[in-house]
Amino acid sequence: MIYAYIFVMAGVTYLIRMLPLTLIQNKITNVYFRSFLYYIPYACLTAMTFPAILYATQSPVSGIAGLMIAVVLALKKKSLIVVAGFACAGVFCVERLLEML
């Protein structure tokens, strides 16, 4: 039975990727639809990572602290390595402070 599940999921995944390629063969000229499609990857990435930011740590407080550090550094146009490093360091420090309290 497990093989049936695997084949069904493979078929669904394949159809989701194949149907737009075969059904939409002309270039999309509608400005509003193109702008909608432009922002889909950002929306999906946000929807997948935001819950993980809050619940991947021992306390949501440290996740929020790391998120705030990352947002501030990203708005200051720092590199991805700097943003990720300081966010991780911030989470680490807040976790240690919460352990002491």
Side-chain angles (χ1 to χ4, degrees):
M1 194 63 174
I2 189 74
Y3 292 117
Y5 294 141
I6 292 172
F7 287 128
V8 168
M9 289 306 297
V12 169
T13 303
Y14 180 73
L15 285 174
I16 289 172
R17 290 182 169 95
M18 183 213 45
L19 285 177
L21 290 174
T22 57
L23 296 178
I24 305 172
Q25 294 182 358
N26 297 334
K27 184 175 179 179
I28 298 171
T29 57
N30 187 336
V31 176
Y32 299 109
F33 192 65
R34 285 177 58 105
S35 66
F36 171 75
L37 291 176
Y38 177 78
Y39 288 110
I40 284 179
Y42 301 112
C44 290
L45 184 62
T46 302
M48 289 187 302
T49 56
F50 188 73
I53 289 170
L54 297 179
Y55 299 116
T57 60
Q58 291 179 359
S59 169
V61 174
S62 61
I64 292 170
L67 175 66
M68 290 189 313
I69 291 169
V71 167
V72 168
L73 291 175
L75 288 174
K76 291 186 177 200
K77 308 251 189 241
K78 300 297 180 186
S79 71
L80 180 61
I81 298 295
V82 171
V83 171
F86 275 98
C88 290
V91 168
F92 180 77
C93 292
V94 171
E95 287 285 333
R96 296 301 156 255
L97 284 173
L98 289 175
E99 283 180 0
M100 292 185 345
L101 296 176

